[in-house]
Amino acid sequence: MARYRGPVEKIERRFGVSLALKGERRLAGKSALDKRPYGPGQHGQRRGKISEYGMQLREKQKAKMMYGVSEKQFRSLFKEANRIEGNTGANLIRLIEQRLDNVVYRMGFATTRRFARQLVTHGHILVNGKRVDIPSYMVQPGQKVEIREKSKNNVQINRAIELSNQVVAVPWIDVDKDKKFGIFTRYPIREEVVIPIEERLIVELYSK
C-alpha cells in the first residue's frame, strides 16, 4: 500500500492520540486533536466497541502512521525483531527508532518524521561524513549524523531546531544543535521510548 498523503490530523483524531504528525501546530497547542478530541466525521463522537483483532490492527496502524513506514517495511522490521534475541516488541521499537529519518527527527533537525524523511531523500543529511539519502538506513551506535554544510542555513531546519528546544531530548542521542550534528550513542531501552504504542498487541497480531 502506498504511503498515506492525506490530512494527518484526521488520522490523529481517529486514533485519539497525538502521533507527532504535525510540527509547529502541535508544539503550539493548536492541533486539531486539541480542539476536537474525538473522531472525524458525522459520527466521530460515537465510540463503539472494538474487537481484540481490531485493537491489534489499530496498534499496528498507529505505529506505521507514526513512523511513516509501509506495510512491507513494517513486516520486514518485525521479522528482524523476531529473529534478534530478546523481547520481540522491544526489539521492534528499537529497530524502528534506528531508522535514519527517525534519528534526524529525534535530533531536532525536523519538526516531523515526514519532514525528516524529506531532508534525507533530498540529500541534506550526512552519516559519518558521507551523504545518505535512504530514510530506512539503520543508524548504528557511535555514528555521527549531521546536516551537510550547504544546508546549515536552511530556514526550515533552523526553525525546527528552535522549536525542538521545547521537547525533552532523548538519552540515547547526543546533539550539538549549534554545529548541527548528533551522535547515536547507543540502542534505546524500551522504557525510554515514550510513544502511544502497545507493541505487545502488534506482536500478537503478527504471531497469528
Side-chain angles (χ1 to χ4, degrees):
M1 185 178 73
R3 184 173 284 118
Y4 178 79
R5 301 186 185 280
V8 294
E9 289 187 305
K10 181 181 290 186
I11 297 297
E12 291 186 325
R13 287 180 60 204
R14 188 179 80 193
F15 290 127
V17 294
S18 173
L19 301 177
L21 302 179
K22 274 291 185 180
E24 291 200 39
R25 283 170 58 84
R26 171 176 56 88
L27 294 170
K30 297 179 180 179
S31 71
L33 183 63
D34 292 325
K35 296 177 181 178
R36 290 166 290 174
Y38 48 83
Q42 183 179 357
H43 306 292
Q45 297 190 55
R46 297 181 184 177
R47 293 289 183 184
K49 290 185 178 180
I50 184 170
S51 67
E52 181 182 358
Y53 172 76
M55 291 172 61
Q56 295 167 349
L57 184 61
R58 182 186 177 92
E59 288 306 301
K60 184 189 76 167
Q61 291 171 333
K62 278 166 59 179
K64 285 169 53 183
M65 187 60 63
M66 184 174 191
Y67 286 98
V69 297
S70 67
E71 174 63 31
K72 183 179 179 180
Q73 290 173 322
F74 199 81
R75 186 175 290 275
S76 177
L77 286 165
F78 178 81
K79 287 181 179 179
E80 178 64 14
N82 197 36
R83 186 189 66 80
I84 299 173
E85 183 179 352
N87 181 279
T88 300
N91 288 341
L92 176 63
I93 300 302
R94 191 202 85 184
L95 288 170
I96 204 167
E97 283 284 335
Q98 281 181 253
R99 283 174 53 102
L100 180 56
D101 53 358
N102 180 74
V103 172
V104 170
Y105 166 74
R106 289 293 192 186
M107 288 182 172
F109 300 149
T111 52
T112 64
R113 291 180 176 85
R114 177 182 285 188
F115 179 38
R117 187 161 51 250
Q118 187 179 49
L119 291 180
V120 174
T121 56
H122 289 186
H124 296 286
I125 304 299
L126 305 180
V127 178
N128 283 355
K130 296 181 179 180
R131 190 179 76 171
V132 177
D133 57 7
I134 303 171
S136 60
Y137 174 87
M138 303 301 282
V139 182
Q140 300 300 319
Q143 288 190 315
K144 179 181 181 180
V145 176
E146 63 185 315
I147 305 296
R148 69 172 185 171
E149 193 62 38
K150 290 182 180 180
S151 304
K152 288 185 176 180
N153 292 323
N154 182 290
V155 175
Q156 288 181 295
I157 294 174
N158 288 326
R159 177 59 176 161
I161 292 172
E162 180 184 337
L163 289 169
S164 70
N165 291 325
Q166 303 177 34
V167 182
V168 178
V170 293
W172 60 91
I173 295 175
D174 287 337
V175 183
D176 187 325
K177 293 183 180 180
D178 292 329
K179 295 183 180 179
K180 298 182 176 63
F181 77 87
I183 305 294
F184 187 83
T185 58
R186 60 177 173 81
Y187 297 128
I189 300 169
R190 176 61 187 97
E191 290 74 17
E192 297 174 323
V193 185
V194 183
I195 52 174
I197 304 295
E198 291 188 54
E199 66 278 4
R200 169 185 59 83
L201 295 176
I202 301 173
V203 174
E204 291 174 1
L205 176 67
Y206 277 124
S207 299
K208 290 182 177 179

